[in-house]
Amino acid sequence: GMLLNTIGESPTRKQNVIWVHLHKYAGTMMCQKAHVQGERLSNHNCDWPGDGWAGFGRSEPFGHLAKCRERATRKLITFSMIERGLEQGDLGCDAITGVMLRDPFKGARSTVLYHNFSFVKDLEKLLAVIAGEKKLPEINWQGHSRMPQNFSYQFFDNFVTRSLSGQQFHVPPGAVTRKMLDAAKEVLKRIDVVLVLEELNTHLPQLAKVFKWNISAMSVSQKVNGNGHNDE
């Protein structure tokens, strides 16, 4: 099912917004802000129905890879998130795009907290894998809060470059190249709104100008994901 936002007036904007939700990079906060602003949303933390975090929802009857054109032309949803590695066709259509960046160490720390990673059992092994000292171990992800089976090292090994560079998210540990970094930078240049979490107050005017949001009463002091810590 899909619950749509009916709060207030939607922004006076012709184009839909596609938000690139880097996992644990304040996406939930941005979804909450979009709700307050009157955007029409899905009830899947703003992810597109059937195209959720890391592919969750694909097994649903309506599950599919929702590319840019579909997201841009649907009238029922004015603001949707892509919470997976970008692929060809996700950007470049008639939609407004945005992304949040943050200190990568803090992003990794938030992933550790949210997904209940143990340093000794999990992180120590993964860091050794990324450094090329060990092969990727079989890790039992039960108890790791919806962590997909084929995800682990990616969050601690150039996560943003993997996510933005296009169909490169699952390259092996330590295999991210300068060429991938350059590709990610080119993608960033194409995104209309680029926010930095640690400097968010100074970046808010972008939301007013490009998304037509009312930022006069917008608070950015609290980031909550319902997981017991104040970190996205």
Side-chain angles (χ1 to χ4, degrees):
M2 187 167 59
L3 296 177
L4 300 176
N5 189 2
T6 55
I7 289 182
E9 293 292 321
S10 294
T12 55
R13 190 189 65 231
K14 292 183 179 179
Q15 293 163 294
N16 289 346
V17 171
I18 298 173
W19 188 265
V20 180
H21 179 176
L22 299 169
H23 190 56
K24 313 316 302 170
Y25 276 53
T28 298
M29 181 189 75
M30 288 304 298
C31 181
Q32 292 167 349
K33 301 298 183 193
H35 184 74
V36 171
Q37 293 292 329
E39 299 282 1
R40 296 194 292 277
L41 315 165
S42 82
N43 66 343
H44 300 271
N45 199 26
C46 291
D47 289 338
W48 194 265
D51 189 10
W53 136 240
F56 279 109
R58 299 279 173 80
S59 60
E60 301 284 351
F62 53 83
H64 65 291
L65 197 66
K67 295 297 183 73
C68 189
R69 189 175 299 279
E70 178 182 0
R71 292 168 181 262
T73 55
R74 284 286 294 271
K75 301 299 183 189
L76 282 175
I77 298 176
T78 60
F79 182 100
S80 67
M81 292 188 168
I82 299 175
E83 195 175 359
R84 52 172 169 73
L86 289 180
E87 300 189 24
Q88 192 168 2
D90 278 334
L91 304 177
C93 66
D94 186 28
I96 296 169
T97 52
V99 68
M100 179 83 74
L101 303 178
R102 73 180 299 187
D103 180 325
F105 177 81
K106 291 180 179 177
R109 182 185 67 184
S110 185
T111 297
V112 168
L113 293 170
Y114 182 77
H115 289 290
N116 304 314
F117 278 95
S118 154
F119 182 78
V120 174
K121 290 182 181 177
D122 306 321
L123 281 184
E124 208 167 35
K125 294 177 185 176
L126 292 176
L127 293 175
V129 167
I130 293 165
E133 298 164 4
K134 290 184 179 179
K135 290 187 176 181
L136 188 63
E138 286 292 323
I139 296 178
N140 182 357
W141 289 126
Q142 287 186 342
H144 282 282
S145 189
R146 296 175 75 234
M147 175 69 78
Q149 286 292 328
N150 59 339
F151 282 54
S152 56
Y153 64 88
Q154 295 94 331
F155 295 106
F156 313 106
D157 180 16
N158 296 282
F159 168 61
V160 175
T161 297
R162 289 173 177 275
S163 299
L164 298 182
S165 54
Q167 296 178 305
Q168 308 288 347
F169 189 80
H170 292 294
V171 297
V176 173
T177 63
R178 173 68 61 176
K179 185 177 179 180
M180 292 177 199
L181 174 62
D182 290 341
K185 288 179 178 178
E186 288 302 313
V187 168
L188 275 180
K189 289 179 184 176
R190 294 169 54 198
I191 293 177
D192 300 303
V193 170
V194 179
L195 307 181
V196 177
L197 184 57
E198 289 81 8
E199 304 166 4
L200 195 50
N201 281 315
T202 62
H203 287 253
L204 288 179
Q206 291 186 69
L207 298 177
K209 183 175 181 180
V210 183
F211 289 4
K212 308 301 182 189
W213 282 9
N214 176 8
I215 64 169
S216 58
M218 189 176 286
S219 166
V220 298
S221 59
Q222 189 77 3
K223 303 184 299 298
V224 178
N225 203 326
N227 53 6
H229 65 92
N230 258 7
D231 204 338
E232 275 288 290

